[in-house]
Amino acid sequence: MRKVNVIKGDVIFQWKYGFYGLYFLMIIIYLVIFSFFSGDVKNTIVSICVYSDPAAMGMFFMGALILLEKSQRITDSIAVSPVTTEEYILGKVLSIGIISEIVGIILMFRGGSGNYLLCGIGIFAGSVLFSLCGIIVGAKIESLNQYIVWTIPFEIVGFIPVIIYRIGLLWDSRLMLLHPGCGVMQLLEGNMEMALLSIISIAVWIIVLFWIADLSVRKMFRCSAGAKL
């Protein structure tokens, strides 16, 4: 029950600060952009946009959420509450993942994969991966400028290889699935042949990133408000 309340609290917090309004605006903007394209070009653009925005926005929104919590001393309260670091992380990841899933599926109806099951898994997996990255960075910084600088390496590694991969470079190479973003892209495209390997790769990376995020949040809670708790 406590886990549900944590997720509910994150959803309310996100609604209060207009995150859902931003997602709705994103839907309108992208649907307008998609209307100018057709065929394979449109499918490629839809896949890249779904990967780089609704899924990957978890990283950017996560940093904003954690900074807001720090500025309002919410993390201080959470640090001394019965809420565990695992529950804190799951609340953030799942609350962002739900809205990312909704937005991503809406956009995929405009093009891309016809396999909406794999597509849905890919959208949620991408959101989880980038949300965990956002938590790792957000737990270590104290200002928006710091967050922007710290996320640059994640953006370079997370976006550029995957976009090049989706365009066609080494698309049939299973070795590329070592990059979780490439696995997400294969799922977004509904590629059954690569689905199992993609899911395994993504699952391994999620476990690793969750472990790192847990360590980062524990340290953030211990040093909350600049003092050891």
Side-chain angles (χ1 to χ4, degrees):
M1 187 64 183
R2 191 170 64 199
K3 292 183 178 66
V4 175
N5 289 332
V6 171
I7 296 171
K8 181 181 177 181
D10 279 313
V11 171
I12 294 173
F13 191 78
Q14 292 159 22
W15 177 270
K16 177 181 177 182
Y17 284 95
F19 286 81
Y20 285 78
L22 287 174
Y23 268 117
F24 180 73
L25 181 61
M26 283 169 52
I27 292 175
I28 296 176
I29 292 173
Y30 281 112
L31 290 180
V32 171
I33 293 174
F34 297 159
S35 67
F36 292 102
F37 301 92
S38 61
D40 292 338
V41 174
K42 180 178 181 179
N43 291 340
T44 300
I45 292 174
V46 170
S47 298
I48 292 174
C49 288
V50 169
Y51 174 81
S52 63
D53 283 274
M57 268 297 182
M59 181 167 64
F60 300 103
F61 283 0
M62 194 61 68
L65 283 171
I66 294 177
L67 283 174
L68 281 170
E69 288 182 348
K70 286 182 177 181
S71 67
Q72 297 181 14
R73 312 302 282 273
I74 295 175
T75 51
D76 296 6
S77 301
I78 297 175
V80 296
S81 74
V83 175
T84 65
T85 55
E86 291 82 4
E87 290 170 341
Y88 177 84
I89 294 170
L90 285 174
K92 293 282 185 294
V93 168
L94 293 179
S95 59
I96 289 290
I98 291 170
I99 186 62
S100 294
E101 185 78 24
I102 295 171
V103 174
I105 289 295
I106 291 174
L107 296 184
M108 288 303 288
F109 273 120
R110 301 295 297 175
S113 170
N115 191 326
Y116 291 105
L117 174 59
L118 287 183
C119 178
I121 294 173
I123 294 169
F124 189 77
S127 177
V128 171
L129 286 166
F130 280 99
S131 292
L132 289 173
C133 291
I135 291 173
I136 293 169
V137 177
K140 298 177 180 297
I141 52 88
E142 298 295 335
S143 70
L144 182 59
N145 288 338
Q146 283 183 335
Y147 187 77
I148 292 173
V149 172
W150 277 59
T151 54
I152 290 176
F154 288 92
E155 293 172 21
I156 294 173
V157 175
F159 291 105
I160 296 177
V162 179
I163 292 174
I164 295 174
Y165 177 70
R166 175 59 186 86
I167 292 173
L169 183 63
L170 299 175
W171 179 252
D172 295 323
S173 172
R174 285 175 167 78
L175 188 62
M176 289 297 292
L177 296 181
L178 291 174
H179 190 303
C182 294
V184 170
M185 188 59 74
Q186 287 286 359
L187 295 178
L188 294 179
E189 288 297 308
N191 191 339
M192 289 296 297
E193 293 182 5
M194 297 282 200
L196 181 59
L197 288 176
S198 298
I199 291 172
I200 292 173
S201 173
I202 293 167
V204 170
W205 276 103
I206 286 176
I207 292 171
V208 171
L209 290 173
F210 192 96
W211 175 69
I212 298 173
D214 184 67
L215 293 178
S216 300
V217 171
R218 287 178 187 274
K219 183 176 180 180
M220 178 180 70
F221 283 172
R222 289 197 303 269
C223 301
S224 186
K228 297 285 184 182
L229 293 178

